[in-house]
Amino acid sequence: MMADGERSVRLLCGNADADAAVAGPWGGGEGDGGGGGGGIAVPIRGVNAGIMDEQVLSLVFRALNWDPQALCVVARVSRRLRAVVERVLWRELCVSRAPRMVAALSGTSEVVAGPGRIGGGWPALAKLLFFCCGAAGAAVPGHFAPVSRFSKTSGRSFLSRRCAGDLLYVSDPCEHAVAGAADDVGAYRGVFRGFMRSLTRAFLVGHRAPLEPRVRCPYCGARVWSMTAAGLAPRSACRRLGANEGRLQYFVCVSGHLHGSCWLARLSSSEGEHGADFDSDDKEDGGHVKL
């Protein structure tokens, strides 16, 4: 898949250097009147050339099944392509890969009618769908996660009773073996709908919960609250994750992104066979990319 993505990038950019290649579709240099490149450099009366180019890029990446790694490659080509990726293509990737989740988060019943705004922005949500944050406390680095599953049912397990009215999606834990440790570490992430108006944020602000001085959100870079320190980490979260009691911590940033880690309890064979499962209509696949 990456070979196809890189081939498509080369077709988009040509053999010239990146800035010169991009100048054609976007109308040349900043002050040359659009004559610096090929493509549609000459202004066309009554036509918005920028929108046309965004549509072409959308068609290309739709053919690539919205490969997030190919999108990252294109975003590094030039500032102009990066702007298009951040303004349009990350949103389209999220809508394509997690349509029900995006519809719920944006408060729209039909994604095809146009998703609304997402707290923290579409680039951050796209990263959250495909990037495991790892576990800094256990020296587990973050990594690309080609397959992820997010669930509202899991999210409810992370909400205290006083905040039960909030909507939160949380992923299954990504399991990591740690050298010298008997148990595995599980890293997970999630996102609130309408966090600025949520009961969780109201509690944190109303009780003047302090922001963590040394931890930042791995998805948008914003400051975070420790939900464990604020007393908002219910025991149901440990049970949902299969984590050892008292060995779970997670953070929520001011934009509503959640990330955390836990030490996973070892299950017996009978527990593994009859463990909890998600309702089929509540599962939301975050995406799958073949490398």
Side-chain angles (χ1 to χ4, degrees):
M1 179 62 73
M2 277 307 299
D4 292 339
E6 293 171 353
R7 189 179 304 110
S8 298
V9 171
R10 289 196 294 270
L11 290 174
L12 283 170
C13 299
N15 295 323
D17 64 87
D19 290 333
V22 176
W26 273 265
E30 295 294 334
D32 62 1
I40 54 173
V42 178
I44 304 174
R45 182 176 299 176
V47 175
N48 189 325
I51 292 178
M52 290 179 63
D53 289 332
E54 291 171 5
Q55 291 175 343
V56 170
L57 286 170
S58 294
L59 290 173
V60 169
F61 282 100
R62 189 174 302 149
L64 295 176
N65 194 28
W66 295 103
D67 185 336
Q69 292 182 315
L71 266 175
C72 290
V73 172
V74 168
R76 291 195 295 265
V77 170
S78 74
R79 286 177 294 180
R80 292 185 178 185
L81 270 176
R82 182 185 181 93
V84 174
V85 171
E86 292 186 350
R87 185 174 64 252
V88 178
L89 300 184
W90 286 129
R91 180 191 64 201
E92 296 299 324
L93 176 145
C94 294
V95 171
S96 175
R97 291 301 190 89
R100 289 183 297 167
M101 180 175 170
V102 168
L105 292 175
S106 60
T108 56
S109 58
E110 293 291 339
V111 177
V112 293
R117 291 178 175 270
I118 292 290
W122 293 103
L125 179 60
K127 184 177 181 180
L128 187 142
L129 290 177
F130 291 99
F131 182 77
C132 169
C133 57
V140 175
H143 61 90
F144 177 68
V147 178
S148 297
R149 185 176 64 175
F150 292 80
S151 168
K152 291 182 291 185
T153 303
S154 289
R156 285 193 289 269
S157 300
F158 282 76
L159 297 173
S160 65
R161 292 182 179 179
R162 61 174 64 91
C163 303
D166 291 342
L167 176 62
L168 171 65
Y169 275 88
V170 173
S171 72
D172 288 351
C174 183
E175 299 183 17
H176 304 84
V178 178
D183 298 328
D184 292 342
V185 168
Y188 50 92
R189 69 253 193 220
V191 58
F192 281 83
R193 178 179 70 181
F195 184 68
M196 293 299 292
R197 302 182 302 275
S198 68
L199 297 173
T200 299
R201 182 182 182 275
F203 179 90
L204 292 167
V205 173
H207 286 74
R208 298 185 179 181
L211 292 165
E212 290 294 304
R214 298 182 180 180
V215 182
R216 293 278 179 167
C217 175
Y219 301 106
C220 69
R223 300 190 68 182
V224 303
W225 286 285
S226 168
M227 303 299 280
T228 307
L232 290 179
R235 292 182 178 179
S236 56
C238 287
R239 292 195 295 268
R240 185 69 185 183
L241 294 169
N244 289 307
E245 192 77 28
R247 304 191 70 186
L248 174 147
Q249 66 171 344
Y250 66 96
F251 306 91
V252 173
C253 79
V254 297
S255 298
H257 303 128
L258 177 151
H259 77 280
S261 61
C262 61
W263 290 94
L264 299 172
R266 292 188 176 274
L267 301 178
S268 65
S269 58
S270 60
E271 288 174 322
E273 292 173 0
H274 303 288
D277 193 10
F278 300 146
D279 296 331
S280 60
D281 60 350
D282 193 51
K283 294 178 182 178
E284 187 63 57
D285 188 0
H288 180 259
V289 178
K290 294 181 180 179
L291 299 179

